[in-house]
């Protein structure tokens, strides 16, 4: 039991939060690409992404796992994004720092989504049972390239009006 929930219910809640975070993240990045701050979507993205990382630590474990490292690193980038947008109000360099840190946090969520998809979806698991096979590597590589491109364009395009 985690937070009074069975493991299966806790997992479902974690997955739903994660999917909301990813969807809100893509909407937020779309806003960045169009120069629109989308403050509400950004807040939803940041909160649900924090919840994704925090709830990830709630699963039973007996030693530190790679997923914990991803969650901890993601939380560092999320703190930077929160500081940039809510303390520094995207002034000066904090604009691009926010964009990059938010997009990295979103990439971590998608990275984990790909890992989990290859673990849980039988057709993908058959293609890459150990996650060291080319289909898995191509999926992760394509995601990384996509996020680097998104970050470059978002840094160039995101120039929201002063709050």
């Amino acid at each position: 039991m985690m937070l009074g929930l069975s493991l299966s219910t806790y997992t479902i809640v974690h997955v739903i939060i994660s999917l909301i975070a990813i969807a809100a993240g893509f909407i937020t990045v779309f806003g960045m690409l169009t120069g629109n701050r989308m403050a509400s979507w950004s807040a939803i993205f940041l909160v649900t992404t924090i919840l994704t990382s925090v709830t990830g630590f709630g699963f039973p474990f007996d030693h530190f796992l790679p997923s914990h490292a991803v969650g901890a690193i993601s939380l560092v980038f999320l703190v930077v994004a929160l500081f940039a947008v809510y303390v520094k109000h995207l002034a000066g360099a904090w604009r691009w720092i926010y964009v990059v840190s938010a997009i990295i946090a979103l990439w971590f969520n998608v990275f984990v989504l790909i890992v989990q998809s290859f673990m849980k979806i039988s057709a993908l698991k058959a293609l890459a049972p150990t996650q060291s096979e080319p289909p898995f590597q191509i999926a992760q590589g394509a995601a990384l390239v996509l996020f680097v491109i998104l970050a470059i364009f978002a840094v160039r395009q995101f120039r929201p009006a002063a709050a």
Side-chain angles (χ1 to χ4, degrees):
M1 299 273 293
M2 278 76 54
L3 301 174
L5 303 173
S6 69
L7 180 58
S8 63
T9 302
Y10 186 85
T11 302
I12 290 167
V13 169
H14 173 76
V15 169
I16 290 169
I17 292 168
S18 300
L19 293 174
I20 292 169
I22 290 169
F26 277 113
I27 293 168
T28 300
V29 171
F30 175 78
M32 292 174 184
L33 293 170
T34 60
N36 183 346
R37 181 159 168 229
M38 296 185 141
S40 295
W41 282 108
S42 175
I44 292 167
F45 163 65
L46 292 170
V47 167
T48 54
T49 302
I50 290 166
L51 287 173
T52 294
S53 293
V54 170
T55 59
F57 288 102
F59 289 98
F61 63 95
D62 58 2
H63 63 282
F64 193 77
L65 300 168
S67 58
H68 297 125
V70 169
I73 295 167
S74 181
L75 285 169
V76 170
F77 282 102
L78 289 161
V79 167
V80 171
L82 288 166
F83 185 79
V85 75
Y86 294 112
V87 175
K88 293 299 185 176
H89 306 286
L90 305 173
W94 290 103
R95 176 193 57 83
W96 71 261
I97 292 169
Y98 164 69
V99 169
V100 170
S101 59
I103 289 176
I104 289 171
L106 176 58
W107 172 71
F108 276 125
N109 276 352
V110 171
F111 176 88
V112 172
L113 175 66
I114 293 169
V115 169
Q116 291 296 317
S117 295
F118 274 87
M119 287 174 61
K120 308 288 187 205
I121 299 171
S122 57
L124 294 176
K125 187 174 178 101
L127 291 173
T130 67
Q131 295 189 353
S132 61
E133 295 80 8
F136 178 79
Q137 294 169 345
I138 290 167
Q140 289 293 16
L144 179 60
V145 168
L146 171 67
F147 279 92
V148 168
I149 292 168
L150 287 173
I152 290 167
F153 281 102
V155 165
R156 290 181 180 170
Q157 296 297 118
F158 187 59
R159 304 206 184 284

